[in-house]
Protein backbone atom coordinates (compact mmCIF):
# COMPACT_ATOMS: atom_id res chain seq x y z
CA UNK A 1 0.00 0.00 0.00
CA UNK A 2 2.86 2.40 0.78
CA UNK A 3 2.65 5.71 2.62
CA UNK A 4 -0.70 7.38 3.27
CA UNK A 5 0.58 10.57 1.61
CA UNK A 6 3.44 11.26 -0.77
CA UNK A 7 4.40 14.33 -2.82
CA UNK A 8 5.69 12.83 -6.04
CA UNK A 9 6.81 16.02 -7.77
CA UNK A 10 6.87 19.77 -7.21
CA UNK A 11 7.99 22.79 -9.23
CA UNK A 12 7.71 26.57 -9.25
CA UNK A 13 6.28 27.69 -12.63
CA UNK A 14 5.33 31.05 -14.18
CA UNK A 15 1.71 30.44 -13.15
CA UNK A 16 2.42 29.18 -9.63
CA UNK A 17 3.66 26.14 -7.70
CA UNK A 18 2.49 22.94 -9.36
CA UNK A 19 2.66 19.64 -7.55
CA UNK A 20 1.68 16.01 -8.03
CA UNK A 21 0.79 14.04 -4.95
CA UNK A 22 -0.54 10.63 -4.06
CA UNK A 23 -2.67 9.94 -1.02
CA UNK A 24 -4.46 6.87 0.25
CA UNK A 25 -8.20 7.38 0.72
CA UNK A 26 -9.14 4.99 3.55
CA UNK A 27 -12.87 5.36 3.00
CA UNK A 28 -12.66 4.38 -0.66
CA UNK A 29 -9.59 2.13 -0.24
CA UNK A 30 -7.87 3.61 -3.31
CA UNK A 31 -4.78 5.63 -4.12
CA UNK A 32 -5.77 9.11 -5.27
CA UNK A 33 -3.48 11.17 -7.50
CA UNK A 34 -3.98 14.92 -7.40
CA UNK A 35 -2.50 17.96 -9.13
CA UNK A 36 -2.41 21.27 -7.29
CA UNK A 37 -1.53 24.76 -8.49
CA UNK A 38 -0.52 26.68 -5.38
CA UNK A 39 -3.36 25.84 -2.96
CA UNK A 40 -5.91 25.12 -5.69
CA UNK A 41 -6.78 21.60 -6.81
CA UNK A 42 -6.61 21.29 -10.60
CA UNK A 43 -7.50 17.63 -11.07
CA UNK A 44 -7.96 14.34 -9.29
CA UNK A 45 -7.89 10.72 -10.35
CA UNK A 46 -11.17 10.32 -8.46
CA UNK A 47 -12.98 12.26 -11.20
CA UNK A 48 -11.63 11.24 -14.63
CA UNK A 49 -15.00 10.77 -16.36
CA UNK A 50 -15.24 14.13 -18.13
CA UNK A 51 -11.56 14.08 -19.19
CA UNK A 52 -12.16 10.66 -20.73
CA UNK A 53 -15.35 11.85 -22.41
CA UNK A 54 -13.50 14.84 -23.85
CA UNK A 55 -11.59 12.41 -26.08
CA UNK A 56 -14.50 10.08 -26.76
CA UNK A 57 -17.01 12.80 -27.63
CA UNK A 58 -14.47 14.77 -29.61
CA UNK A 59 -13.39 11.85 -31.77
CA UNK A 60 -16.82 10.23 -32.11
CA UNK A 61 -18.02 12.78 -34.67
CA UNK A 62 -15.05 12.30 -36.99
CA UNK A 63 -15.26 10.11 -40.07
CA UNK A 64 -12.39 8.36 -41.78
CA UNK A 65 -9.13 6.82 -40.68
CA UNK A 66 -5.57 8.03 -40.01
CA UNK A 67 -6.56 10.83 -37.65
CA UNK A 68 -4.03 13.38 -36.43
CA UNK A 69 -5.01 14.67 -32.99
CA UNK A 70 -3.81 17.37 -30.61
CA UNK A 71 -4.37 17.30 -26.87
CA UNK A 72 -3.87 20.66 -25.20
CA UNK A 73 -2.92 20.17 -21.55
CA UNK A 74 -1.50 16.84 -20.41
CA UNK A 75 -2.42 16.80 -16.72
CA UNK A 76 -3.07 13.30 -15.42
CA UNK A 77 -3.16 11.99 -18.98
CA UNK A 78 -6.69 10.61 -19.18
CA UNK A 79 -7.64 12.51 -22.35
CA UNK A 80 -4.45 11.56 -24.17
CA UNK A 81 -4.65 7.93 -23.06
CA UNK A 82 -8.28 7.67 -24.18
CA UNK A 83 -7.51 9.22 -27.56
CA UNK A 84 -4.89 6.52 -28.18
CA UNK A 85 -7.51 3.86 -27.52
CA UNK A 86 -9.19 4.90 -30.78
CA UNK A 87 -7.47 2.76 -33.45
CA UNK A 88 -8.06 5.47 -36.06
CA UNK A 89 -5.62 7.83 -34.33
CA UNK A 90 -2.46 7.94 -36.42
CA UNK A 91 -0.60 10.59 -34.43
CA UNK A 92 -1.08 12.36 -31.12
CA UNK A 93 0.64 15.65 -30.34
CA UNK A 94 0.35 16.56 -26.66
CA UNK A 95 1.02 20.25 -26.04
CA UNK A 96 2.02 20.97 -22.45
CA UNK A 97 3.61 24.15 -21.10
CA UNK A 98 5.27 22.59 -18.05
CA UNK A 99 8.15 20.21 -18.66
CA UNK A 100 7.69 18.60 -15.25
CA UNK A 101 4.19 17.43 -16.18
CA UNK A 102 5.59 15.72 -19.26
CA UNK A 103 8.28 14.19 -17.05
CA UNK A 104 5.63 12.66 -14.75
CA UNK A 105 4.45 10.53 -17.65
CA UNK A 106 7.90 9.72 -18.98
CA UNK A 107 8.73 8.40 -15.50
CA UNK A 108 5.44 6.46 -15.27
CA UNK A 109 4.48 8.14 -11.99
CA UNK A 110 0.81 7.64 -12.88
CA UNK A 111 -0.06 3.94 -13.17
CA UNK A 112 -3.34 4.49 -15.02
CA UNK A 113 -1.57 6.11 -17.99
CA UNK A 114 1.33 3.69 -18.24
CA UNK A 115 2.48 3.38 -21.85
CA UNK A 116 1.32 6.83 -22.93
CA UNK A 117 4.84 8.17 -23.30
CA UNK A 118 6.20 5.10 -25.09
CA UNK A 119 3.37 4.74 -27.62
CA UNK A 120 4.99 5.44 -31.02
CA UNK A 121 2.07 7.66 -31.99
CA UNK A 122 2.67 10.05 -29.08
CA UNK A 123 4.76 13.19 -29.30
CA UNK A 124 5.12 15.58 -26.38
CA UNK A 125 5.61 19.24 -27.31
CA UNK A 126 6.60 21.61 -24.53
CA UNK A 127 4.85 24.83 -25.53
CA UNK A 128 2.19 27.31 -24.55
CA UNK A 129 -0.94 26.06 -26.34
CA UNK A 130 -2.53 29.51 -26.38
CA UNK A 131 0.57 31.26 -27.73
CA UNK A 132 0.89 28.62 -30.46
CA UNK A 133 -2.65 29.44 -31.60
CA UNK A 134 -2.23 33.20 -31.26
CA UNK A 135 0.90 33.43 -33.42
CA UNK A 136 -0.36 30.93 -35.99
CA UNK A 137 2.63 28.59 -35.74
CA UNK A 138 0.45 25.79 -34.44
CA UNK A 139 1.30 22.64 -32.57
CA UNK A 140 4.02 20.91 -34.60
CA UNK A 141 7.41 22.66 -34.31
CA UNK A 142 8.61 20.82 -37.43
CA UNK A 143 5.62 21.90 -39.56
CA UNK A 144 4.35 25.41 -38.73
CA UNK A 145 0.66 25.79 -39.49
CA UNK A 146 0.10 22.05 -39.76
CA UNK A 147 -3.59 21.09 -39.69
CA UNK A 148 -5.14 18.41 -37.52
CA UNK A 149 -8.39 16.46 -37.48
CA UNK A 150 -9.13 17.17 -33.82
CA UNK A 151 -7.96 19.48 -31.05
CA UNK A 152 -8.97 18.42 -27.52
CA UNK A 153 -8.36 21.13 -24.91
CA UNK A 154 -8.32 20.83 -21.11
CA UNK A 155 -6.28 23.57 -19.48
CA UNK A 156 -8.48 26.26 -17.95
CA UNK A 157 -11.33 25.74 -15.51
CA UNK A 158 -13.72 27.21 -18.08
CA UNK A 159 -13.81 29.91 -20.77
CA UNK A 160 -14.62 32.39 -18.00
CA UNK A 161 -12.22 31.05 -15.36
CA UNK A 162 -8.78 30.96 -16.94
CA UNK A 163 -5.55 30.02 -15.21
CA UNK A 164 -3.71 33.00 -16.71
CA UNK A 165 -5.05 36.26 -18.20
CA UNK A 166 -3.17 35.59 -21.45
CA UNK A 167 -5.54 32.68 -22.15
CA UNK A 168 -8.68 34.81 -22.26
CA UNK A 169 -8.33 35.97 -25.88
CA UNK A 170 -8.47 32.37 -27.09
CA UNK A 171 -12.14 32.10 -26.10
CA UNK A 172 -13.19 35.01 -28.34
CA UNK A 173 -14.31 34.89 -31.96
CA UNK A 174 -10.88 35.98 -33.29
CA UNK A 175 -9.12 33.48 -31.03
CA UNK A 176 -11.26 30.55 -32.10
CA UNK A 177 -10.92 31.53 -35.76
CA UNK A 178 -7.17 31.23 -35.38
CA UNK A 179 -7.71 27.77 -33.88
CA UNK A 180 -10.08 26.78 -36.70
CA UNK A 181 -7.35 27.63 -39.22
CA UNK A 182 -5.31 24.78 -37.70
CA UNK A 183 -8.08 22.22 -38.33
CA UNK A 184 -8.83 20.23 -41.45
CA UNK A 185 -12.19 20.80 -43.03
CA UNK A 186 -14.77 18.92 -40.92
CA UNK A 187 -12.23 18.84 -38.10
CA UNK A 188 -13.31 19.03 -34.45
CA UNK A 189 -12.51 21.31 -31.56
CA UNK A 190 -13.54 19.88 -28.17
CA UNK A 191 -13.20 21.68 -24.85
CA UNK A 192 -13.54 20.59 -21.21
CA UNK A 193 -15.15 23.01 -18.76
CA UNK A 194 -15.84 22.75 -15.06
CA UNK A 195 -18.84 25.07 -15.42
CA UNK A 196 -22.35 24.36 -16.72
CA UNK A 197 -22.99 25.16 -20.41
CA UNK A 198 -22.34 28.86 -20.98
CA UNK A 199 -24.81 30.45 -23.46
CA UNK A 200 -22.45 33.37 -24.14
CA UNK A 201 -19.57 31.05 -25.04
CA UNK A 202 -21.90 28.90 -27.12
CA UNK A 203 -22.78 32.00 -29.16
CA UNK A 204 -19.07 32.60 -29.71
CA UNK A 205 -18.67 29.02 -30.94
CA UNK A 206 -21.55 29.37 -33.40
CA UNK A 207 -19.89 32.42 -34.97
CA UNK A 208 -16.84 30.33 -35.82
CA UNK A 209 -18.04 26.76 -36.28
CA UNK A 210 -21.05 25.58 -38.33
CA UNK A 211 -22.11 23.17 -35.59
CA UNK A 212 -21.46 22.95 -31.87
CA UNK A 213 -22.95 20.98 -28.99
CA UNK A 214 -22.52 21.33 -25.22
CA UNK A 215 -22.56 17.90 -23.57
CA UNK A 216 -23.22 17.74 -19.83
CA UNK A 217 -21.15 14.87 -18.39
CA UNK A 218 -22.41 13.65 -15.02
CA UNK A 219 -20.48 11.46 -12.60
CA UNK A 220 -20.66 10.38 -8.94
CA UNK A 221 -18.74 12.51 -6.46
CA UNK A 222 -17.83 10.29 -3.48
CA UNK A 223 -16.28 13.19 -1.58
CA UNK A 224 -19.54 15.11 -1.50
CA UNK A 225 -21.89 12.12 -1.64
CA UNK A 226 -23.70 13.55 -4.64
CA UNK A 227 -23.58 13.78 -8.41
CA UNK A 228 -21.28 16.31 -10.09
CA UNK A 229 -21.16 17.47 -13.69
CA UNK A 230 -18.74 19.02 -16.18
CA UNK A 231 -19.32 20.28 -19.70
CA UNK A 232 -17.68 19.11 -22.92
CA UNK A 233 -18.16 21.41 -25.91
CA UNK A 234 -17.75 19.79 -29.31
CA UNK A 235 -17.59 22.08 -32.35
CA UNK A 236 -17.23 20.98 -35.98
CA UNK A 237 -15.27 23.05 -38.49
Amino acid sequence: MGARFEELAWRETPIGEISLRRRRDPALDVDVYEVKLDDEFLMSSLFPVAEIELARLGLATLAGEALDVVVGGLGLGYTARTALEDPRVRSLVVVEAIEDVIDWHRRDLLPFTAGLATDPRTRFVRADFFAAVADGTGFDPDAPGRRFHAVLLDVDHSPRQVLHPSHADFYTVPGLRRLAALLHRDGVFALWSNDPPDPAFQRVLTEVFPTSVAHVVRFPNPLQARESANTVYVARH
Side-chain angles (χ1 to χ4, degrees):
M1 181 182 301
R4 287 282 298 274
F5 176 87
E6 182 180 8
E7 187 170 71
L8 301 174
W10 175 93
R11 175 76 65 175
E12 181 72 43
T13 78
I15 60 173
E17 296 177 358
I18 193 165
S19 62
L20 172 67
R21 67 183 200 173
R22 181 195 61 80
R23 64 178 177 83
R24 189 71 183 177
D25 189 310
L28 300 174
D29 194 29
V30 295
D31 283 335
V32 180
Y33 292 81
E34 297 167 325
V35 178
K36 291 184 67 179
L37 183 64
D38 293 328
D39 293 327
E40 184 176 11
F41 285 93
L42 290 185
M43 58 197 71
S44 168
S45 62
L46 279 179
F47 313 114
V49 176
E51 288 84 351
I52 290 170
E53 287 303 304
L54 174 61
R56 289 179 177 168
L57 291 168
L59 299 181
T61 60
L62 288 170
E65 305 293 326
L67 301 179
D68 298 317
V69 178
V70 171
V71 167
L74 177 54
L76 293 177
Y78 284 106
T79 300
R81 179 73 264 174
T82 303
L84 289 175
E85 291 172 1
D86 189 322
R88 300 174 301 156
V89 172
R90 171 176 59 187
S91 70
L92 179 71
V93 174
V94 182
V95 181
E96 172 55 54
I98 301 172
E99 180 65 36
D100 293 71
V101 177
I102 296 173
D103 186 58
W104 299 346
H105 294 272
R106 287 182 171 147
R107 292 164 57 196
D108 277 339
L109 295 182
L110 301 157
F112 41 82
T113 57
L116 171 61
T118 56
D119 191 297
R121 295 170 294 171
T122 301
R123 180 183 182 188
F124 293 128
V125 173
R126 184 185 177 278
D128 182 328
F129 175 96
F130 301 95
V133 173
D135 65 19
T137 57
F139 311 116
D140 185 343
D142 297 330
R146 177 187 171 191
R147 296 191 177 200
F148 291 83
H149 298 96
V151 173
L152 315 174
L153 178 60
D154 177 6
V155 173
D156 294 311
H157 293 304
S158 75
R160 292 180 182 269
Q161 299 184 56
V162 296
L163 294 181
H164 192 275
S166 63
H167 300 179
D169 181 67
F170 174 81
Y171 301 101
T172 65
V173 170
L176 290 178
R177 282 181 175 154
R178 288 189 285 268
L179 182 278
L182 299 170
L183 289 172
H184 288 297
R185 184 174 181 179
D186 294 327
V188 166
F189 167 57
L191 171 71
W192 176 91
S193 172
N194 191 51
D195 290 349
D198 183 338
F201 181 64
Q202 289 178 275
R203 287 193 292 271
V204 171
L205 284 173
T206 59
E207 289 194 46
V208 179
F209 297 95
T211 63
S212 64
V213 179
H215 300 269
V216 176
V217 179
R218 304 184 186 278
F219 52 91
N221 185 331
L223 297 182
Q224 299 178 352
R226 63 175 179 84
E227 185 178 71
S228 292
N230 295 158
T231 301
V232 173
Y233 298 95
V234 179
R236 191 81 176 267
H237 186 33

